[in-house]
Amino acid sequence: MDAVNRPPTAPVPDTPAPGVRVASRQPRLTVRNAVDPERQPMTYEFRLAADEGVTQIVAAQSGLAQGPGFTAWDPGATLDEDAVYWWTARARTEGDAPEDFSPWSEAVSFRVDAVNEPPTAPRPLRPIDGRPVATRSPATVS
């Protein structure tokens, strides 16, 4: 261990990747592990929110043991269909000093898309409003 305790690096969100649609209302969140300069054991804290600022917390968990290379969390909350959520995580070594906590990872979003809904019916764009056309076989655009 160094004479000066330095904070761990921020974990890196892995899955779900930023901006993707997930086919589950209870997705697993996974980060690539942080690195601690002193190689101390770490635990992780995850937050799942309904807003980009990660202030409207839907679910949170701390004290999750670090996995090999990646650390995962199953939030347990059943998320709303077609809703967008943001999530973030940080690492912690043993202790409560500021240098025992990593920065929060970048907040990344995903959309819940667990229900396969049919597409909407096409709307013709031309000919416009039933106007007469100069041919018996007009091209239609939708």
Side-chain angles (χ1 to χ4, degrees):
M1 183 183 285
D2 295 343
V4 175
N5 185 22
R6 293 173 288 163
T9 61
V12 177
D14 186 66
T15 56
V20 301
R21 292 178 177 269
V22 297
S24 171
R25 292 183 66 197
Q26 295 181 309
R28 171 173 277 194
L29 309 180
T30 306
V31 293
R32 274 185 257 137
N33 290 342
V35 175
D36 182 60
E38 291 80 32
R39 299 184 184 180
Q40 298 178 67
M42 291 182 284
T43 59
Y44 288 79
E45 180 177 356
F46 284 78
R47 289 183 179 170
L48 175 64
D51 67 309
E52 187 173 5
V54 192
T55 60
Q56 298 172 21
I57 304 299
V58 173
Q61 178 75 45
S62 61
L64 292 163
Q66 178 171 283
F70 296 87
T71 300
W73 174 53
D74 296 312
T78 301
L79 305 179
D80 294 334
E81 175 68 13
D82 287 326
V84 176
Y85 293 90
W86 286 262
W87 68 283
T88 186
R90 70 177 175 178
R92 177 186 182 183
T93 58
E94 194 171 296
D96 290 320
E99 61 270 12
D100 293 317
F101 295 87
S102 77
W104 284 100
S105 67
E106 174 187 356
V108 296
S109 68
F110 63 90
R111 179 179 295 276
V112 175
D113 190 11
V115 177
N116 187 11
E117 297 171 352
T120 59
R123 280 186 23 244
L125 300 175
R126 293 199 176 102
I128 299 171
D129 299 327
R131 292 182 187 162
V133 292
T135 178
R136 291 179 184 251
S137 308
T140 57
V141 178
S142 55

